[in-house]
Amino acid sequence: MPRMRRLGGRLKNLPVAGEKRVLLAAPRGYCAGVDRAVVAVEKALDRYGAPVYVRKQIVHNVHVVQTLEKMGAIFVEEVDEVPEGANVVFSAHGVSPAVVQEAADRHLHAIDATCPLVTKVHREAVRFAKQDMEILLIGHTGHEEVEGTAGEAPDHITIVNSPDDVDDLVVKDPDRLVWLSQTTLSVDETMETVRRLRERFPNLQDPPSDDICYATQNRQVAIKKIAPEADLVLVVGSTNSSNSVRLVEVALEYGAKAAYLVDFAEEVKQEWLEGVETIGISSGASVPEVLVQELLDDLGEAGYADVRAVVTAEEDLVFSLPKELRQDASGKRDERALGGRVR
């Protein structure tokens, strides 16, 4: 995901009372599900040629989408915008069965790049619906992942947007309830919502495992460790990325004096750095590392050259690519069948 570097020197190296330093969160950036989805589009372009259509943004990051567009990907809102018989990739956030059926009706060659952790939640929704359980889905109405999950069992799912929604919930049978959640939420807010739900519905059942994805949790843990020491936290990510937005919120909740979300280094304003000694940096799970490195370059020119990694976890999870893309055109197993890249 290369970018053309612009001219440096935009940020001034102004004196501060103490030592300037950067606390760099690890883990940060691309997770396994995002990596798999982006590589899936790249390989679909290699395999089938341009254009390859993608329903919604493959992941919620401006730079990734712009880069794939330059390679020949065409992003659409719905599959009815895709020419009949064409290739279409479903985004990492997942789709409902209705979307899958619509693609089939249009004879589209569909490649499902849904994150396997989202697929797990879909399967849980189907299983609980078959047991005639009422499912309280903790998530944000309108988010693609929530729409996809809700579409698996629309007659059994009620969306709970926040802890404040709990008091107004009306359920059919308080003894046959289970909760699921969007994978990219704030861990703290989700657990608070569950706590409030259990106060109202003591027999509420838990899913087999926590639905919040490992990458979301790991990035929030890292930012919690950095925030109390930071005069300023900068999170690289797009405004429609739930997990990136949550990192800013978590930073402020855990003691950062200020925190901002930026897509690119050039969005950092000089006034944000006034009097700032310690800057914390992280990035959302859909952000390529090149964008973080550009930010570090700019901050280095402003005197923040002392970069210290704050490591709270190691990540080595890799997901297989969609089955259609695990072999090359000759049928030979592709060397990137696991979807990995150097990050």
Side-chain angles (χ1 to χ4, degrees):
M1 287 287 156
R3 287 191 79 218
M4 262 315 218
R5 283 294 293 157
R6 60 264 178 258
L7 293 176
R10 191 180 61 83
L11 298 175
K12 298 175 183 178
N13 187 351
L14 301 177
V16 296
E19 298 289 328
K20 289 184 176 181
R21 63 174 181 161
V22 170
L23 301 179
L24 183 60
R28 63 182 178 277
Y30 266 16
C31 64
V34 164
D35 191 38
R36 173 183 186 266
V38 175
V39 172
V41 177
E42 293 172 347
K43 284 186 58 58
L45 287 163
D46 289 343
R47 178 81 178 270
Y48 305 113
V52 166
Y53 293 84
V54 184
R55 181 186 181 272
K56 307 289 187 181
Q57 292 187 359
I58 186 67
V59 297
H60 287 159
N61 183 264
V62 169
H63 172 62
V64 171
V65 170
Q66 290 174 346
T67 301
L68 292 174
E69 284 178 331
K70 291 175 183 176
M71 295 171 65
I74 297 177
F75 293 87
V76 299
E77 285 300 304
E78 297 298 343
V79 293
D80 62 9
E81 301 172 50
V82 181
E84 289 204 15
N87 299 298
V88 63
V89 179
F90 296 146
S91 80
H93 309 103
V95 297
S96 69
V99 172
V100 175
Q101 185 60 52
E102 186 178 0
D105 292 343
R106 294 182 60 76
H107 307 291
L108 302 180
H109 176 224
I111 299 167
D112 188 358
T114 301
C115 173
L117 299 180
V118 175
T119 300
K120 177 184 77 74
V121 180
H122 283 213
R123 289 173 178 163
E124 289 170 351
V126 171
R127 180 162 63 86
F128 288 125
K130 286 181 178 178
Q131 297 171 5
D132 200 28
M133 300 287 290
E134 187 171 355
I135 301 163
L136 302 179
L137 177 59
I138 302 170
H140 298 137
T141 300
H143 189 281
E144 286 122 85
E145 182 186 330
V146 171
E147 290 179 348
T149 302
E152 295 284 356
D155 295 333
H156 290 78
I157 287 179
T158 299
I159 298 171
V160 184
N161 282 277
S162 73
D164 294 335
D165 282 3
V166 172
D167 291 341
D168 296 325
L169 278 178
V170 177
V171 301
K172 299 172 185 174
D173 184 349
D175 294 324
R176 294 192 61 75
L177 290 177
V178 64
W179 69 272
L180 299 176
S181 76
Q182 181 181 330
T183 63
T184 55
L185 298 179
S186 160
V187 177
D188 293 339
E189 183 175 348
T190 301
M191 292 302 103
E192 173 61 15
T193 302
V194 172
R195 186 190 68 78
R196 296 267 294 270
L197 285 170
R198 188 158 280 117
E199 282 184 351
R200 279 205 64 196
F201 311 112
N203 292 330
L204 176 72
Q205 295 185 31
D206 296 325
S209 61
D210 185 358
D211 289 336
I212 303 295
C213 100
Y214 77 95
T216 297
Q217 295 187 57
N218 287 347
R219 281 145 192 73
Q220 290 178 19
V221 168
I223 210 73
K224 288 175 183 178
K225 187 168 183 179
I226 287 172
E229 300 182 53
D231 302 306
L232 169 68
V233 168
L234 297 174
V235 175
V236 183
S238 296
T239 56
N240 64 336
S241 166
S242 287
N243 74 89
S244 299
V245 171
R246 298 302 157 254
L247 288 176
V248 174
E249 295 172 348
V250 170
L252 292 170
E253 289 171 9
Y254 279 78
K257 295 181 177 67
Y260 298 98
L261 183 68
V262 296
D263 265 307
F264 304 107
E266 52 262 37
E267 295 174 13
V268 176
K269 298 179 180 179
Q270 183 69 54
E271 55 263 32
W272 294 354
L273 305 181
E274 291 179 7
V276 168
E277 297 174 15
T278 300
I279 299 176
I281 292 178
S282 187
S283 56
S286 51
V287 177
E289 181 64 11
V290 63
L291 301 183
V292 175
Q293 294 305 315
E294 289 182 2
L295 176 59
L296 291 173
D297 289 346
D298 279 11
L299 292 175
E301 293 180 354
Y304 298 92
D306 179 9
V307 179
R308 306 176 190 181
V310 178
V311 181
T312 54
E314 299 288 343
E315 294 179 354
D316 56 8
L317 183 64
V318 180
F319 292 131
S320 296
L321 286 174
K323 61 182 183 299
E324 299 89 348
L325 302 173
R326 294 175 197 166
Q327 298 176 333
D328 62 22
S330 69
K332 180 181 177 183
R333 183 175 173 83
D334 191 276
E335 62 181 10
R336 287 203 300 175
L338 282 177
R341 68 169 77 244
V342 176
R343 295 195 287 277

